[in-house]
Coordinates of all heavy atoms in Angstrom, one line a residue:
M42 N -1.1 -14.5 -6.6 CA -2.1 -15.0 -7.5 C -1.5 -15.1 -8.9 O -0.7 -14.3 -9.3 CB -3.3 -14.0 -7.5 CG -4.3 -14.2 -8.5 SD -5.9 -14.1 -7.7 CE -6.5 -15.7 -7.9
E43 N -1.8 -16.2 -9.6 CA -1.2 -16.4 -10.9 C -1.9 -15.7 -12.0 O -3.1 -15.8 -12.0 CB -1.1 -17.9 -11.2 CG -0.2 -18.2 -12.3 CD 0.1 -19.7 -12.4 OE1 0.2 -20.4 -11.4 OE2 0.3 -20.2 -13.5
R44 N -1.2 -15.0 -12.9 CA -1.8 -14.4 -14.0 C -2.0 -15.5 -15.1 O -1.4 -16.5 -15.1 CB -0.9 -13.3 -14.6 CG -0.8 -12.1 -13.7 CD 0.1 -11.1 -14.3 NE 0.1 -9.9 -13.5 CZ 0.7 -8.8 -13.8 NH1 1.3 -8.7 -14.9 NH2 0.6 -7.7 -13.1
P45 N -2.9 -15.2 -16.1 CA -3.1 -16.1 -17.2 C -1.8 -16.5 -17.9 O -1.6 -17.6 -18.4 CB -4.1 -15.4 -18.1 CG -4.8 -14.5 -17.2 CD -3.8 -14.1 -16.1
S46 N -0.8 -15.5 -17.9 CA 0.5 -15.8 -18.6 C 1.3 -16.7 -17.8 O 2.4 -17.1 -18.3 CB 1.2 -14.5 -18.8 OG 1.5 -13.9 -17.5
G47 N 0.9 -17.1 -16.6 CA 1.7 -18.0 -15.7 C 2.6 -17.3 -14.8 O 3.3 -17.9 -14.0
K48 N 2.7 -15.9 -14.9 CA 3.5 -15.1 -14.0 C 2.7 -14.7 -12.8 O 1.5 -14.6 -12.8 CB 4.1 -13.9 -14.7 CG 5.0 -14.2 -15.8 CD 5.5 -12.9 -16.4 CE 6.5 -13.3 -17.6 NZ 7.0 -12.1 -18.2
F49 N 3.4 -14.7 -11.6 CA 2.8 -14.3 -10.4 C 2.8 -12.7 -10.3 O 3.7 -12.1 -10.8 CB 3.4 -14.9 -9.2 CG 3.2 -16.4 -9.1 CD1 3.9 -17.3 -9.7 CD2 2.1 -16.8 -8.3 CE1 3.7 -18.6 -9.6 CE2 1.8 -18.1 -8.2 CZ 2.6 -19.1 -8.9
R50 N 1.8 -12.2 -9.5 CA 1.8 -10.8 -9.3 C 1.6 -10.6 -7.8 O 1.0 -11.4 -7.1 CB 0.8 -10.0 -10.1 CG -0.7 -10.4 -9.7 CD -1.6 -9.7 -10.6 NE -3.0 -10.2 -10.4 CZ -4.0 -9.4 -10.0 NH1 -3.8 -8.1 -9.8 NH2 -5.2 -10.0 -9.8
F51 N 2.1 -9.5 -7.2 CA 1.8 -9.2 -5.8 C 0.5 -8.5 -5.7 O 0.1 -7.6 -6.5 CB 2.9 -8.2 -5.3 CG 4.2 -9.0 -5.0 CD1 5.2 -9.0 -5.9 CD2 4.3 -9.6 -3.8 CE1 6.4 -9.6 -5.6 CE2 5.5 -10.3 -3.5 CZ 6.6 -10.3 -4.4
L52 N -0.2 -8.9 -4.6 CA -1.5 -8.2 -4.2 C -1.2 -7.6 -2.9 O -0.6 -8.2 -2.0 CB -2.6 -9.2 -4.1 CG -3.0 -9.9 -5.4 CD1 -4.0 -11.0 -5.2 CD2 -3.5 -9.0 -6.5
Y53 N -1.6 -6.4 -2.7 CA -1.4 -5.7 -1.4 C -2.6 -5.7 -0.5 O -3.7 -5.5 -1.0 CB -1.0 -4.2 -1.7 CG 0.3 -4.2 -2.5 CD1 0.3 -4.0 -3.9 CD2 1.5 -4.3 -1.9 CE1 1.5 -4.0 -4.6 CE2 2.7 -4.3 -2.6 CZ 2.7 -4.1 -4.0 OH 3.8 -4.1 -4.7
F54 N -2.4 -6.0 0.7 CA -3.4 -6.1 1.7 C -4.3 -4.8 1.7 O -5.5 -5.0 1.7 CB -2.8 -6.3 3.1 CG -3.9 -6.3 4.2 CD1 -4.7 -7.4 4.4 CD2 -4.1 -5.3 5.0 CE1 -5.7 -7.5 5.3 CE2 -5.0 -5.3 6.0 CZ -5.8 -6.4 6.2
T55 N -3.7 -3.7 1.6 CA -4.5 -2.4 1.7 C -5.5 -2.3 0.5 O -6.5 -1.6 0.6 CB -3.6 -1.2 1.8 OG1 -2.7 -1.2 0.7 CG2 -2.9 -1.2 3.1
D56 N -5.1 -3.0 -0.6 CA -6.0 -2.9 -1.8 C -7.1 -4.0 -1.7 O -8.1 -3.9 -2.4 CB -5.2 -3.2 -3.1 CG -4.2 -2.1 -3.4 OD1 -4.4 -1.0 -3.0 OD2 -3.2 -2.4 -4.1
L57 N -7.0 -4.9 -0.8 CA -7.9 -6.0 -0.7 C -8.9 -5.9 0.5 O -10.1 -6.3 0.4 CB -7.2 -7.4 -0.6 CG -6.3 -7.8 -1.7 CD1 -5.6 -9.1 -1.4 CD2 -7.1 -8.0 -3.0
V58 N -8.4 -5.4 1.6 CA -9.3 -5.3 2.8 C -10.5 -4.5 2.5 O -10.5 -3.5 1.8 CB -8.5 -4.7 4.0 CG1 -8.2 -3.2 3.8 CG2 -9.2 -5.0 5.3
G59 N -11.7 -5.1 2.9 CA -12.9 -4.4 2.7 C -13.6 -4.8 1.4 O -14.8 -4.5 1.2
K60 N -12.9 -5.5 0.5 CA -13.5 -5.9 -0.7 C -14.6 -7.0 -0.5 O -14.5 -7.8 0.4 CB -12.5 -6.6 -1.7 CG -11.7 -5.6 -2.5 CD -11.0 -6.3 -3.6 CE -10.2 -5.3 -4.5 NZ -11.0 -4.5 -5.3
K61 N -15.6 -6.9 -1.3 CA -16.7 -7.9 -1.2 C -16.1 -9.3 -1.6 O -15.4 -9.4 -2.6 CB -17.9 -7.6 -2.2 CG -18.7 -6.4 -1.7 CD -19.8 -6.2 -2.7 CE -20.6 -4.9 -2.3 NZ -21.6 -4.6 -3.3
V62 N -16.6 -10.3 -0.9 CA -16.2 -11.7 -1.3 C -17.5 -12.4 -1.7 O -18.5 -12.3 -1.0 CB -15.6 -12.4 0.0 CG1 -15.3 -13.9 -0.4 CG2 -14.3 -11.7 0.5
V63 N -17.5 -13.0 -2.9 CA -18.6 -13.7 -3.4 C -18.3 -15.1 -3.8 O -17.2 -15.5 -4.1 CB -19.2 -12.9 -4.7 CG1 -19.6 -11.5 -4.3 CG2 -18.2 -12.9 -5.8
S64 N -19.4 -15.9 -3.8 CA -19.3 -17.3 -4.2 C -19.0 -17.4 -5.7 O -19.1 -16.4 -6.4 CB -20.5 -18.1 -3.8 OG -21.6 -17.6 -4.6
S65 N -18.8 -18.6 -6.2 CA -18.6 -18.8 -7.6 C -19.8 -18.3 -8.5 O -19.6 -17.9 -9.6 CB -18.3 -20.2 -7.9 OG -19.4 -21.1 -7.6
D66 N -21.0 -18.3 -7.9 CA -22.2 -17.9 -8.6 C -22.5 -16.4 -8.3 O -23.6 -15.9 -8.7 CB -23.4 -18.8 -8.4 CG -23.8 -18.9 -7.0 OD1 -23.2 -18.2 -6.1 OD2 -24.7 -19.6 -6.7
G67 N -21.7 -15.7 -7.6 CA -21.9 -14.3 -7.3 C -22.6 -14.0 -6.1 O -22.9 -12.8 -5.8
A68 N -23.0 -15.0 -5.3 CA -23.8 -14.7 -4.0 C -22.8 -14.1 -3.0 O -21.7 -14.5 -2.8 CB -24.3 -16.0 -3.5
P69 N -23.2 -13.0 -2.4 CA -22.4 -12.3 -1.4 C -22.1 -13.1 -0.2 O -23.1 -13.7 0.4 CB -23.1 -11.0 -1.1 CG -24.5 -11.3 -1.5 CD -24.5 -12.3 -2.5
L70 N -20.9 -13.2 0.3 CA -20.5 -13.9 1.5 C -20.0 -13.0 2.6 O -20.0 -13.4 3.7 CB -19.3 -14.9 1.2 CG -19.7 -16.0 0.1 CD1 -18.4 -16.8 -0.2 CD2 -20.8 -16.9 0.6
G71 N -19.7 -11.8 2.3 CA -19.2 -10.8 3.2 C -18.1 -10.0 2.7 O -18.0 -9.9 1.4
R72 N -17.3 -9.4 3.6 CA -16.2 -8.5 3.1 C -14.9 -9.0 3.7 O -14.9 -9.6 4.9 CB -16.4 -7.1 3.5 CG -17.6 -6.4 2.7 CD -17.6 -4.9 2.9 NE -18.7 -4.3 2.1 CZ -18.5 -3.9 0.9 NH1 -17.3 -3.9 0.3 NH2 -19.5 -3.3 0.2
L73 N -13.8 -8.9 3.0 CA -12.5 -9.3 3.5 C -12.2 -8.5 4.8 O -12.1 -7.3 4.7 CB -11.5 -9.2 2.5 CG -10.1 -9.7 2.9 CD1 -10.1 -11.2 3.1 CD2 -9.0 -9.2 1.9
A74 N -12.0 -9.2 5.9 CA -11.6 -8.5 7.1 C -10.1 -8.7 7.4 O -9.5 -7.8 8.0 CB -12.4 -9.2 8.3
D75 N -9.5 -9.8 7.0 CA -8.1 -10.0 7.3 C -7.6 -11.1 6.4 O -8.3 -11.9 5.8 CB -7.9 -10.4 8.8 CG -6.5 -10.1 9.3 OD1 -5.6 -9.8 8.5 OD2 -6.3 -10.1 10.5
L76 N -6.2 -11.2 6.3 CA -5.6 -12.3 5.6 C -4.7 -13.0 6.6 O -4.1 -12.4 7.5 CB -4.7 -11.8 4.5 CG -5.5 -11.2 3.3 CD1 -4.5 -10.5 2.3 CD2 -6.3 -12.2 2.6
V77 N -4.6 -14.3 6.5 CA -3.7 -15.1 7.4 C -2.6 -15.7 6.5 O -2.8 -16.3 5.5 CB -4.5 -16.3 8.0 CG1 -3.6 -17.1 8.9 CG2 -5.7 -15.8 8.8
A78 N -1.3 -15.4 6.9 CA -0.1 -15.8 6.2 C 0.7 -16.8 7.0 O 0.6 -16.8 8.3 CB 0.7 -14.6 5.8
V79 N 1.5 -17.6 6.4 CA 2.4 -18.5 7.0 C 3.7 -17.8 7.3 O 4.3 -17.2 6.4 CB 2.7 -19.7 6.1 CG1 3.7 -20.7 6.8 CG2 1.4 -20.4 5.8
S80 N 4.2 -17.7 8.6 CA 5.4 -17.0 8.9 C 6.6 -17.7 8.5 O 6.6 -18.9 8.1 CB 5.4 -16.7 10.4 OG 5.5 -17.9 11.1
G81 N 7.7 -17.0 8.5 CA 9.0 -17.6 8.2 C 9.6 -17.3 6.8 O 10.7 -17.8 6.5
E82 N 8.9 -16.6 6.0 CA 9.3 -16.2 4.7 C 9.5 -14.7 4.5 O 8.8 -14.0 5.2 CB 8.3 -16.7 3.6 CG 8.0 -18.2 3.6 CD 9.2 -19.0 3.0 OE1 9.8 -18.4 2.1 OE2 9.4 -20.1 3.4
P83 N 10.4 -14.2 3.7 CA 10.5 -12.8 3.5 C 9.2 -12.2 3.0 O 8.8 -11.1 3.3 CB 11.6 -12.7 2.4 CG 12.4 -13.9 2.5 CD 11.5 -15.0 3.0
Y84 N 8.5 -13.0 2.1 CA 7.2 -12.6 1.6 C 6.3 -13.7 2.0 O 6.1 -14.7 1.2 CB 7.2 -12.4 0.1 CG 8.1 -11.3 -0.4 CD1 9.3 -11.5 -1.0 CD2 7.7 -10.0 -0.2 CE1 10.1 -10.5 -1.4 CE2 8.5 -8.9 -0.6 CZ 9.7 -9.2 -1.2 OH 10.5 -8.1 -1.6
P85 N 5.7 -13.7 3.2 CA 4.9 -14.8 3.7 C 3.7 -15.1 2.8 O 3.0 -14.2 2.4 CB 4.4 -14.3 5.1 CG 5.2 -13.1 5.4 CD 5.7 -12.6 4.1
P86 N 3.6 -16.4 2.4 CA 2.4 -16.7 1.5 C 1.1 -16.7 2.3 O 1.1 -17.1 3.4 CB 2.8 -18.1 1.0 CG 3.7 -18.7 2.1 CD 4.4 -17.5 2.6
V87 N 0.1 -16.2 1.6 CA -1.2 -16.1 2.3 C -1.8 -17.5 2.2 O -1.8 -18.2 1.2 CB -2.1 -15.1 1.5 CG1 -3.6 -15.2 2.0 CG2 -1.6 -13.7 1.7
E88 N -2.3 -17.9 3.4 CA -2.9 -19.2 3.5 C -4.5 -19.2 3.4 O -5.1 -20.0 2.9 CB -2.5 -19.8 4.9 CG -3.1 -21.2 5.2 CD -2.7 -21.7 6.5 OE1 -3.2 -21.1 7.5 OE2 -1.9 -22.6 6.5
S89 N -5.0 -18.1 4.0 CA -6.5 -18.0 4.0 C -7.0 -16.6 4.2 O -6.2 -15.7 4.5 CB -7.1 -18.9 5.1 OG -6.6 -18.5 6.4
L90 N -8.3 -16.4 3.9 CA -9.0 -15.1 4.1 C -9.9 -15.2 5.3 O -10.4 -16.3 5.6 CB -9.9 -14.9 2.9 CG -9.3 -14.8 1.5 CD1 -9.3 -16.2 0.9 CD2 -10.1 -13.9 0.7
L91 N -10.0 -14.1 6.0 CA -11.0 -14.0 7.0 C -12.1 -13.1 6.5 O -11.8 -11.9 6.2 CB -10.4 -13.5 8.3 CG -9.4 -14.5 9.0 CD1 -8.9 -13.9 10.3 CD2 -9.9 -15.8 9.2
V92 N -13.3 -13.6 6.4 CA -14.4 -12.8 5.8 C -15.5 -12.5 6.9 O -15.9 -13.4 7.6 CB -15.0 -13.6 4.7 CG1 -16.2 -12.9 4.1 CG2 -14.0 -13.9 3.6
R93 N -15.8 -11.3 7.0 CA -16.8 -10.8 8.0 C -18.2 -10.6 7.3 O -18.3 -9.9 6.3 CB -16.4 -9.6 8.7 CG -17.4 -9.1 9.8 CD -16.9 -7.9 10.5 NE -15.5 -8.0 11.0 CZ -15.1 -8.6 12.1 NH1 -16.0 -9.3 12.8 NH2 -13.8 -8.6 12.4
S94 N -19.2 -11.2 7.9 CA -20.6 -11.0 7.5 C -21.4 -10.8 8.7 O -21.6 -11.7 9.5 CB -21.1 -12.2 6.6 OG -22.4 -11.9 6.2
G95 N -21.9 -9.5 8.9 CA -22.5 -9.2 10.2 C -21.5 -9.4 11.3 O -20.4 -8.9 11.3
G96 N -21.9 -10.1 12.4 CA -20.9 -10.4 13.5 C -20.2 -11.6 13.4 O -19.4 -12.0 14.3
K97 N -20.3 -12.4 12.2 CA -19.7 -13.7 12.1 C -18.4 -13.6 11.2 O -18.4 -12.9 10.2 CB -20.7 -14.6 11.4 CG -20.2 -16.0 11.2 CD -21.4 -16.8 10.6 CE -20.8 -17.6 9.4 NZ -21.8 -18.3 8.7
V98 N -17.4 -14.3 11.6 CA -16.1 -14.3 10.8 C -15.9 -15.7 10.3 O -15.9 -16.7 11.1 CB -14.9 -13.8 11.6 CG1 -13.7 -13.9 10.7 CG2 -15.1 -12.4 12.1
S99 N -15.7 -15.9 9.0 CA -15.5 -17.2 8.4 C -14.1 -17.2 7.8 O -13.5 -16.2 7.5 CB -16.4 -17.5 7.3 OG -17.8 -17.5 7.7
Q100 N -13.5 -18.4 7.7 CA -12.2 -18.6 7.1 C -12.3 -19.4 5.9 O -13.0 -20.4 5.8 CB -11.2 -19.3 8.1 CG -9.8 -19.4 7.7 CD -8.9 -19.8 8.8 OE1 -9.3 -20.4 9.7 NE2 -7.6 -19.5 8.6
I101 N -11.6 -18.9 4.8 CA -11.7 -19.5 3.5 C -10.2 -19.7 3.0 O -9.4 -18.8 3.0 CB -12.4 -18.6 2.5 CG1 -13.9 -18.4 3.0 CG2 -12.5 -19.2 1.1 CD1 -14.6 -17.3 2.3
P102 N -9.9 -20.9 2.5 CA -8.5 -21.1 2.0 C -8.2 -20.2 0.8 O -9.1 -20.0 0.0 CB -8.5 -22.6 1.6 CG -9.7 -23.2 2.1 CD -10.7 -22.1 2.4
W103 N -7.0 -19.7 0.8 CA -6.6 -18.8 -0.4 C -6.7 -19.6 -1.7 O -7.0 -19.1 -2.7 CB -5.2 -18.3 -0.2 CG -4.8 -17.5 -1.3 CD1 -3.9 -17.8 -2.3 CD2 -5.2 -16.1 -1.6 NE1 -3.8 -16.8 -3.2 CE2 -4.6 -15.7 -2.8 CE3 -6.0 -15.2 -1.0 CZ2 -4.8 -14.5 -3.4 CZ3 -6.2 -14.0 -1.5 CH2 -5.6 -13.6 -2.7
S104 N -6.5 -20.9 -1.6 CA -6.6 -21.8 -2.8 C -8.0 -21.8 -3.4 O -8.1 -22.2 -4.6 CB -6.1 -23.2 -2.5 OG -7.0 -23.8 -1.5
A105 N -9.0 -21.3 -2.6 CA -10.4 -21.3 -3.1 C -10.7 -20.0 -3.9 O -11.7 -19.9 -4.5 CB -11.3 -21.4 -2.0
V106 N -9.7 -19.1 -4.0 CA -9.9 -17.8 -4.7 C -9.7 -18.0 -6.2 O -8.7 -18.5 -6.6 CB -9.0 -16.7 -4.2 CG1 -9.1 -15.5 -5.0 CG2 -9.2 -16.4 -2.7
A107 N -10.8 -17.7 -6.9 CA -10.7 -17.9 -8.4 C -10.2 -16.6 -9.1 O -9.5 -16.7 -10.0 CB -12.1 -18.3 -8.9
S108 N -10.7 -15.4 -8.5 CA -10.2 -14.2 -9.1 C -10.3 -13.1 -8.1 O -11.1 -13.1 -7.2 CB -11.1 -13.9 -10.4 OG -12.4 -13.6 -10.0
V109 N -9.5 -12.0 -8.4 CA -9.5 -10.8 -7.6 C -9.6 -9.7 -8.5 O -8.6 -9.4 -9.2 CB -8.3 -10.7 -6.7 CG1 -8.3 -9.4 -5.9 CG2 -8.1 -11.9 -5.8
N110 N -10.8 -9.1 -8.6 CA -11.0 -7.9 -9.5 C -11.7 -6.9 -8.6 O -11.2 -6.5 -7.6 CB -11.7 -8.3 -10.7 CG -10.9 -9.2 -11.6 OD1 -9.8 -8.9 -12.0 ND2 -11.4 -10.4 -11.9
G111 N -12.9 -6.5 -9.0 CA -13.7 -5.6 -8.2 C -14.1 -6.3 -7.0 O -14.4 -5.6 -5.9
T112 N -14.2 -7.6 -7.0 CA -14.6 -8.4 -5.9 C -13.6 -9.6 -5.8 O -12.8 -9.8 -6.7 CB -16.0 -9.0 -6.0 OG1 -16.1 -9.8 -7.2 CG2 -17.1 -7.9 -6.1
I113 N -13.7 -10.3 -4.7 CA -12.9 -11.5 -4.6 C -13.9 -12.7 -4.8 O -14.9 -12.9 -4.0 CB -12.3 -11.7 -3.2 CG1 -11.3 -10.5 -2.9 CG2 -11.6 -13.0 -3.0 CD1 -10.8 -10.4 -1.5
Q114 N -13.7 -13.4 -5.9 CA -14.7 -14.5 -6.3 C -14.0 -15.8 -6.0 O -12.9 -16.0 -6.3 CB -15.1 -14.4 -7.7 CG -16.2 -15.4 -8.1 CD -16.9 -15.1 -9.4 OE1 -16.3 -14.4 -10.3 NE2 -18.1 -15.5 -9.5
L115 N -14.8 -16.7 -5.4 CA -14.3 -18.0 -5.0 C -14.6 -19.0 -6.2 O -15.5 -18.8 -7.0 CB -15.0 -18.5 -3.8 CG -14.8 -17.6 -2.6 CD1 -15.5 -18.2 -1.3 CD2 -13.4 -17.3 -2.3
S116 N -13.9 -20.1 -6.1 CA -14.0 -21.2 -7.1 C -15.3 -22.0 -6.7 O -15.7 -22.0 -5.5 CB -12.8 -22.1 -7.0 OG -11.7 -21.4 -7.3
P117 N -15.9 -22.7 -7.6 CA -17.0 -23.6 -7.2 C -16.5 -24.7 -6.2 O -15.4 -25.2 -6.2 CB -17.3 -24.3 -8.6 CG -16.8 -23.4 -9.6 CD -15.6 -22.8 -9.0
G118 N -17.4 -24.9 -5.2 CA -17.1 -25.9 -4.2 C -16.1 -25.4 -3.1 O -15.6 -26.2 -2.3
A119 N -15.9 -24.1 -3.0 CA -15.0 -23.6 -2.0 C -15.5 -23.9 -0.6 O -16.7 -23.8 -0.4 CB -14.8 -22.1 -2.2
S120 N -14.6 -24.3 0.3 CA -15.0 -24.6 1.6 C -14.9 -23.3 2.5 O -13.9 -22.6 2.5 CB -14.1 -25.6 2.2 OG -12.8 -25.2 2.3
V121 N -16.0 -23.0 3.2 CA -16.1 -21.9 4.1 C -16.3 -22.4 5.5 O -17.3 -23.2 5.7 CB -17.2 -21.0 3.7 CG1 -17.4 -19.8 4.6 CG2 -17.0 -20.5 2.2
G122 N -15.5 -22.1 6.4 CA -15.6 -22.6 7.8 C -15.5 -21.5 8.8 O -15.1 -20.4 8.4
P123 N -15.7 -21.8 10.0 CA -15.6 -20.7 11.1 C -14.1 -20.4 11.3 O -13.2 -21.3 11.1 CB -16.2 -21.4 12.3 CG -16.1 -22.9 12.1 CD -16.2 -23.0 10.6
A124 N -13.8 -19.2 11.6 CA -12.4 -18.8 11.9 C -12.0 -19.3 13.3 O -12.9 -19.4 14.2 CB -12.3 -17.3 11.8
P125 N -10.7 -19.6 13.4 CA -10.3 -20.1 14.8 C -10.5 -19.0 15.8 O -10.4 -17.8 15.5 CB -8.8 -20.3 14.6 CG -8.6 -20.5 13.1 CD -9.7 -19.7 12.4
T126 N -10.8 -19.4 17.0 CA -11.1 -18.4 18.1 C -9.8 -18.1 18.9 O -9.8 -17.2 19.7 CB -12.2 -18.9 19.0 OG1 -11.8 -20.2 19.5 CG2 -13.5 -19.0 18.3
S127 N -8.7 -18.9 18.7 CA -7.5 -18.6 19.4 C -6.3 -18.6 18.3 O -6.5 -19.2 17.2 CB -7.2 -19.7 20.4 OG -7.2 -20.9 19.9
P128 N -5.2 -18.0 18.7 CA -4.1 -17.9 17.7 C -3.6 -19.3 17.3 O -3.6 -20.2 18.1 CB -3.0 -17.1 18.5 CG -3.7 -16.4 19.6 CD -4.9 -17.3 19.9
V129 N -3.1 -19.4 16.1 CA -2.5 -20.6 15.6 C -1.0 -20.4 15.4 O -0.6 -19.3 14.8 CB -3.2 -21.0 14.2 CG1 -2.6 -22.2 13.6 CG2 -4.7 -21.2 14.4
A130 N -0.2 -21.3 15.8 CA 1.2 -21.2 15.8 C 1.7 -21.0 14.3 O 1.1 -21.6 13.4 CB 1.9 -22.4 16.4
D131 N 2.7 -20.2 14.1 CA 3.3 -19.9 12.8 C 2.4 -19.3 11.8 O 2.6 -19.4 10.6 CB 3.9 -21.2 12.2 CG 5.0 -21.8 13.1 OD1 5.7 -21.0 13.8 OD2 5.1 -23.0 13.1
R132 N 1.3 -18.6 12.3 CA 0.4 -17.9 11.4 C 0.3 -16.4 11.8 O 0.3 -16.1 12.9 CB -1.0 -18.5 11.4 CG -1.1 -20.0 11.0 CD -0.6 -20.1 9.6 NE -0.7 -21.5 9.1 CZ 0.3 -22.4 9.1 NH1 1.5 -22.0 9.6 NH2 0.1 -23.6 8.5
L133 N 0.4 -15.6 10.8 CA 0.3 -14.1 11.0 C -1.0 -13.6 10.4 O -1.4 -13.9 9.3 CB 1.5 -13.5 10.2 CG 2.9 -13.9 10.5 CD1 3.8 -13.3 9.5 CD2 3.3 -13.5 11.9
H134 N -1.6 -12.7 11.2 CA -2.8 -12.0 10.7 C -2.2 -10.6 10.2 O -1.5 -9.9 10.9 CB -3.8 -11.7 11.8 CG -4.5 -13.0 12.2 ND1 -5.9 -13.1 12.0 CD2 -4.1 -14.2 12.6 CE1 -6.3 -14.3 12.4 NE2 -5.2 -15.0 12.7
L135 N -2.5 -10.3 9.0 CA -1.9 -9.1 8.3 C -2.6 -7.8 8.7 O -2.0 -6.8 8.5 CB -1.8 -9.3 6.8 CG -1.1 -10.6 6.3 CD1 -1.1 -10.6 4.8 CD2 0.3 -10.6 6.9
G136 N -3.8 -7.9 9.2 CA -4.6 -6.7 9.4 C -4.4 -6.2 10.8 O -3.7 -6.6 11.7

């Protein structure tokens, strides 16, 4: 995630898992269940979030994340879709 100064910072999975995920207007979408990363890098970049709400899991692109503080807030117009039901090649689930 880029800081306002333009420098990147590392976010740790253990600090994020279970955090509330909210829309740009603060509406609750669920809690972070997992992160999906692209394999093949020493520090694999996160591609998307898996968000659980009740028994349903949704997938949200990491590019839709506006901020990570007490909650994970999405940008306006963020796309939320169903999570894949089978493994995707070259993708790692971090949880």
Side-chain angles (χ1 to χ4, degrees):
M42 176 132 244
E43 193 168 326
R44 291 182 173 185
S46 66
K48 294 182 180 180
F49 287 88
R50 66 181 172 123
F51 282 98
L52 299 171
Y53 297 97
F54 176 75
T55 54
D56 293 335
L57 298 175
V58 69
K60 278 196 178 285
K61 289 181 183 178
V62 179
V63 298
S64 67
S65 61
D66 61 1
L70 300 174
R72 291 192 177 268
L73 181 69
D75 205 348
L76 295 172
V77 179
V79 179
S80 64
E82 300 285 330
Y84 297 103
V87 171
E88 177 182 74
S89 60
L90 302 89
L91 296 180
V92 177
R93 183 178 309 281
S94 179
K97 182 179 133 187
V98 179
S99 300
Q100 188 167 21
I101 302 167
W103 181 257
S104 60
V106 174
S108 66
V109 178
N110 293 305
T112 61
I113 299 170
Q114 187 165 24
L115 303 183
S116 302
S120 64
V121 178
T126 56
S127 58
V129 178
D131 300 329
R132 299 300 182 263
L133 303 169
H134 287 241
L135 303 182

